[in-house]
Amino acid sequence: IELINFDLNQINLAPIFDDVMEQTLKSCNVPYAFIQIINPQNTLPLVKAKKGFDGKVSYNYSIANRLTDNDNFFQVEDITTEKAFEDKTSPLASNQIHFYASAPIISVKGDLLGHLIIMDTEAKLLDDIQISFLNLLAKNAAVQFELVKKNDQFDRILEIYALISET
């Protein structure tokens, strides 16, 4: 996966994704949105940007990790009533989370980088326009990741050049 040589633990990506998060909340009319990326060094995913979480609602990594193990758009109208997610609902239900949707963040090379995830306390389904917009915002997030990665690579090249120039 492309992120294997990219140390995301050292980079604060939240400011980069602030606009994506705000647009996600508005376009999908939900209170919670976050970007979860695959962590190549660990089994737990990394949450690199989030909006709407105020301490009253916590996020359970294992739930979203199991629900977002694919590279397609995914939504569940009401997790608390879905038999297929019975064993996965208790942490979300304890926070009154019912609706869950995720759009994959896919690199230009086709690797799954993570997901743009939204949640709501009300059961719902996104309409076609909202689904399209969420997928578009996930693509925007992929472009932002690529820019951050390229900037990081450029900075490393400048450091090497500076070392070579000193000698």
Side-chain angles (χ1 to χ4, degrees), residues 62-82:
S62 62
I63 301 301
N65 197 32
R66 284 185 262 164
L67 292 176
T68 59
D69 59 358
N70 60 54
D71 57 1
N72 297 306
F73 171 80
F74 180 79
Q75 71 176 327
V76 179
E77 181 177 5
D78 191 348
I79 284 181
T80 64
T81 62
E82 292 286 329

Side-chain angles (χ1 to χ4, degrees), residues 82-158:
E82 292 286 329
K83 291 275 187 207
F85 302 105
E86 225 169 37
D87 66 323
K88 302 171 189 167
T89 59
S90 58
L92 291 176
S94 67
N95 292 319
Q96 293 81 40
I97 298 298
H98 292 269
F99 171 73
Y100 177 97
S102 69
I105 300 171
I106 300 174
S107 74
V108 294
K109 292 183 179 178
D111 289 330
L112 179 64
L113 302 175
H115 293 87
L116 175 55
I117 298 170
I118 59 173
M119 298 187 305
D120 199 341
T121 55
E122 299 175 12
K124 66 166 66 180
L125 287 174
L126 298 180
D127 61 34
D128 290 342
I129 293 171
Q130 289 172 313
I131 292 170
S132 294
F133 204 74
L134 188 63
N135 282 320
L136 181 64
L137 288 166
K139 287 179 184 176
N140 181 299
V143 169
Q144 296 299 323
F145 275 119
E146 295 293 331
L147 289 173
V148 169
K149 183 178 175 181
K150 295 295 181 194
N151 283 340
D152 185 60
Q153 290 170 343
F154 183 71
D155 287 345
R156 290 178 191 204
I157 290 169
L158 287 177

Side-chain angles (χ1 to χ4, degrees), residues 1-22:
I1 129 171
E2 282 190 58
L3 295 175
I4 199 82
N5 295 319
F6 188 48
D7 191 1
L8 292 168
N9 289 318
Q10 302 300 320
I11 300 171
N12 179 13
L13 296 174
I16 295 165
F17 292 113
D18 276 347
D19 193 39
V20 172
M21 296 288 91
E22 288 297 327

